């Protein structure tokens, strides 16, 4: 009865992971990210399948049972190494390949994997990590503790990287992404520690499945709320954010400014150099806005097309104007080696209590943008 419950929990987790694997193949943000996520999910399924075979055959006696169970246990421990490394690689990719792009750290990251594989295979003859007795029962070997320690290197390393990146982010949406990546290591870590203390309960299966499910749900939510090209918040998130801000007491939010930014001569860039170059120009604009406005704790969103919006609190109008000047300066620097200059016109407005809804605030800033563009057009 107890073994049956163990098998049922494992199979239930496998069904969830297979469903997530299917969904990930259908809709994901990039091919590389989809492949890495699928790799993690497939290895988790394989690990749970080996765990299922172990509980099914443990203690059973038939011709070749000892050899089969020994190979299953060796494969199980090898798979924990492969899964842990895949887990680490996926998180590293999401963080911008911090380790992969450094040759030394990349080699160091392979050490726990090779060590775990070597120990797992050697244990078939030495019994270092596991043994199978004459009655075909699995037992932990004298050096079993080395296996989880090597796995924990990947988990702790990945979790530390995600925490560092999360604390660097001012935008709550980006922080949520890193928190979900942190969970990808945290839940299996806690589950594996608990399962090491309670080996008869499939807690690792539950922990892994919960972590992968959380990351998948978070990624899908990001696809709904984040602009896929620039990685900025989209119009829906902008309206949610500004509605919440405008509903807050004026004494709490201080001087709230809304900036509406529009690319100059964007149609000419598309017509002359193609839409691929137009996308490159949008990425330059988004990068500059992140670099300039992000540290000032501003909310940044792509409103649509070549139009962006930024909302932030400033001590005075002069401080707001200083940020606009810095955006112009950084755009000039960022596009200095491009075929065309990347410039943006900026209109802004300060929030006042007579603005009852978001369109009131937006329309005032948009009118200021129209005035700026009209002035520039008249000068040309």
């Amino acid at each position: 009865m107890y073994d049956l419950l163990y098998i049922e929990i494992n199979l239930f987790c496998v069904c969830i992971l297979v469903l997530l694997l299917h969904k990930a193949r259908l809709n994901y943000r990039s091919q590389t990210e989809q492949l890495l996520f699928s790799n993690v999910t497939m290895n988790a399924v394989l690990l749970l399948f080996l765990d299922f075979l172990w509980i099914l055959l443990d203690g059973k006696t038939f011709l070749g049972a000892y050899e089969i169970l020994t190979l299953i246990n060796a494969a199980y421990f090898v798979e924990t190494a492969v899964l842990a490394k895949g887990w680490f690689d996926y998180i590293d990719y999401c963080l911008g390949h911090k380790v992969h792009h450094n040759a030394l750290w990349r080699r160091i990251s392979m050490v726990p994997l090779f060590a775990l594989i070597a120990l797992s295979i050697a244990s078939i003859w030495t019994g270092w990590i596991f043994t199978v007795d004459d009655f075909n029962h699995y037992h932990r070997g004298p050096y079993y503790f080395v296996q989880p320690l090597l796995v924990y290197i990947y988990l702790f390393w990945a979790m530390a990287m995600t925490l560092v990146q999360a604390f660097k982010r001012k935008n709550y949406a980006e922080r949520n992404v890193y928190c979900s990546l942190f969970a990808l290591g945290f839940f299996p870590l806690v589950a594996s520690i608990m399962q090491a203390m309670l080996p008869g309960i499939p807690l690792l299966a539950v922990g892994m499945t919960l972590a992968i499910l959380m990351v998948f749900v978070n990624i899908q939510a990001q696809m709904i709320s984040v602009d896929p090209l620039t990685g900025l918040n989209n119009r829906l998130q902008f309206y949610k954010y500004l509605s919440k801000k405008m509903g807050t007491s004026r004494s709490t939010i201080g001087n709230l400014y809304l900036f509406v930014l529009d690319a100059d001569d964007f149609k000419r860039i598309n017509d002359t150099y193609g839409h691929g170059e137009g996308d490159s120009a949008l990425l330059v604009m988004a990068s500059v806005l992140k670099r300039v406005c992000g540290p000032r704790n501003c909310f940044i969103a792509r409103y649509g097309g070549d139009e962006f919006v930024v909302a932030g609190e400033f001590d005075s109008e002069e401080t707001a104007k200083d940020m606009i000047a810095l955006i112009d300066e950084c755009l000039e620097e960022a596009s200095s080696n491009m075929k065309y200059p990347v410039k943006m016109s900026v209109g802004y407005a300060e929030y006042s209590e007579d603005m009852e809804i978001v369109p009131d605030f937006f329309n005032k800033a948009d009118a200021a943008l129209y005035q700026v563009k009209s002035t520039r057009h008249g000068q040309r």
Side-chain angles (χ1 to χ4, degrees):
M1 183 67 182
Y2 187 79
D3 288 352
L4 183 60
L5 179 62
Y6 192 103
I7 291 172
E8 286 176 347
I9 293 174
N10 259 8
L11 291 179
F12 178 72
C13 291
V14 166
C15 290
I16 293 176
L17 292 174
V18 169
L19 178 61
L20 292 179
L21 186 61
H22 174 67
K23 292 293 184 182
R25 291 179 182 277
L26 294 177
N27 48 6
Y28 223 77
R29 291 181 298 189
S30 74
Q31 185 178 10
T32 303
E33 188 175 4
Q34 180 262 319
L35 288 173
L36 289 170
F37 181 84
S38 296
N39 177 57
V40 169
T41 309
M42 283 190 293
N43 279 300
V45 169
L46 180 56
L47 186 69
L48 295 184
F49 179 69
L50 291 169
D51 197 32
F52 159 75
L53 291 178
W54 164 72
I55 197 69
L56 195 66
L57 298 176
D58 191 58
K60 304 298 187 297
T61 54
F62 55 87
L63 185 63
Y66 173 83
E67 289 77 10
I68 293 173
L69 191 62
T70 300
L71 290 175
I72 287 173
N73 279 289
Y76 176 88
F77 286 111
V78 168
E79 187 57 28
T80 60
V82 175
L83 175 59
K85 182 60 167 62
W87 221 293
F88 179 83
D89 288 341
Y90 174 71
I91 292 176
D92 182 51
Y93 172 82
C94 294
L95 298 178
H97 272 327
K98 304 291 184 183
V99 174
H100 181 77
H101 288 157
N102 185 302
L104 175 60
W105 283 113
R106 189 170 63 250
R107 293 191 190 99
I108 291 173
S109 73
M110 298 296 293
V111 172
L113 172 65
F114 291 142
L116 274 169
I117 292 174
L119 284 171
S120 301
I121 295 174
S123 294
I124 296 174
W125 300 278
T126 64
W128 286 339
I129 294 180
F130 70 91
T131 59
V132 177
D133 64 22
D134 295 336
F135 299 98
N136 228 34
H137 285 291
Y138 158 84
H139 298 282
R140 291 174 179 175
Y143 302 110
Y144 168 82
F145 68 92
V146 176
Q147 185 266 339
L149 286 178
L150 290 172
V151 170
Y152 294 160
I153 289 174
Y154 286 122
L155 297 182
F156 280 118
W157 192 351
M159 288 161 62
M161 289 194 301
T162 55
L163 279 180
V164 169
Q165 293 300 317
F167 282 121
K168 286 181 178 179
R169 294 301 186 273
K170 302 293 184 182
N171 185 298
Y172 76 93
E174 291 183 342
R175 279 189 175 180
N176 282 343
V177 173
Y178 291 115
C179 286
S180 72
L181 292 175
F182 178 82
L184 186 59
F186 178 76
F187 284 108
L189 173 64
V190 173
S192 64
I193 292 173
M194 293 177 67
Q195 184 158 323
M197 296 185 291
L198 303 167
I201 304 175
L203 295 171
L204 182 58
V206 176
M208 286 194 307
T209 304
L210 180 61
I212 293 173
L213 179 61
M214 283 186 63
V215 171
F216 181 81
V217 169
N218 189 274
I219 292 298
Q220 297 307 303
Q222 288 297 310
M223 290 177 69
I224 295 171
S225 62
V226 173
D227 175 61
L229 175 65
T230 62
L232 297 174
N233 296 285
N234 61 14
R235 186 187 300 199
L236 175 62
Q237 290 300 105
F238 161 68
Y239 273 100
K240 285 182 178 179
Y241 173 84
L242 207 56
S243 295
K244 185 177 179 181
K245 272 291 184 182
M246 292 171 65
T248 308
S249 170
R250 181 62 187 268
S251 60
T252 304
I253 64 173
N255 301 320
L256 179 64
Y257 284 83
L258 174 62
F259 304 82
V260 180
L261 307 94
D262 187 80
D264 292 342
D265 296 326
F266 187 69
K267 186 178 183 302
R268 183 180 62 83
I269 294 173
N270 277 331
D271 292 344
T272 306
Y273 302 101
H275 290 279
E277 280 296 325
D279 287 348
S280 297
L282 290 173
L283 288 171
V284 168
M285 297 174 211
S287 176
V288 167
L289 292 179
K290 290 176 185 177
R291 181 151 48 101
V292 175
C293 308
R296 290 165 172 77
N297 203 26
C298 292
F299 181 91
I300 314 165
R302 184 183 177 192
Y303 193 77
D306 60 333
E307 196 167 35
F308 298 81
V309 287
V310 175
E313 298 171 38
F314 294 88
D315 297 333
S316 64
E317 188 174 357
E318 286 302 315
T319 309
K321 288 181 178 179
D322 289 341
M323 189 180 77
I324 295 173
L326 186 57
I327 290 172
D328 288 340
E329 181 182 324
C330 290
L331 281 172
E332 183 178 353
E333 179 186 344
S335 62
S336 59
N337 294 323
M338 298 177 72
K339 304 172 185 176
Y340 46 83
V342 177
K343 296 182 179 180
M344 301 181 81
S345 296
V346 186
Y348 68 93
E350 183 180 0
Y351 173 67
S352 59
E353 292 181 353
D354 62 322
M355 299 174 182
E356 297 180 355
I357 55 177
V358 171
D360 293 339
F361 197 2
F362 177 83
N363 289 339
K364 188 171 183 181
D366 197 44
L369 170 65
Y370 177 79
Q371 198 67 33
V372 170
K373 291 186 82 72
S374 296
T375 303
R376 288 188 176 183
H377 180 74
Q379 289 172 345
R380 284 200 298 268

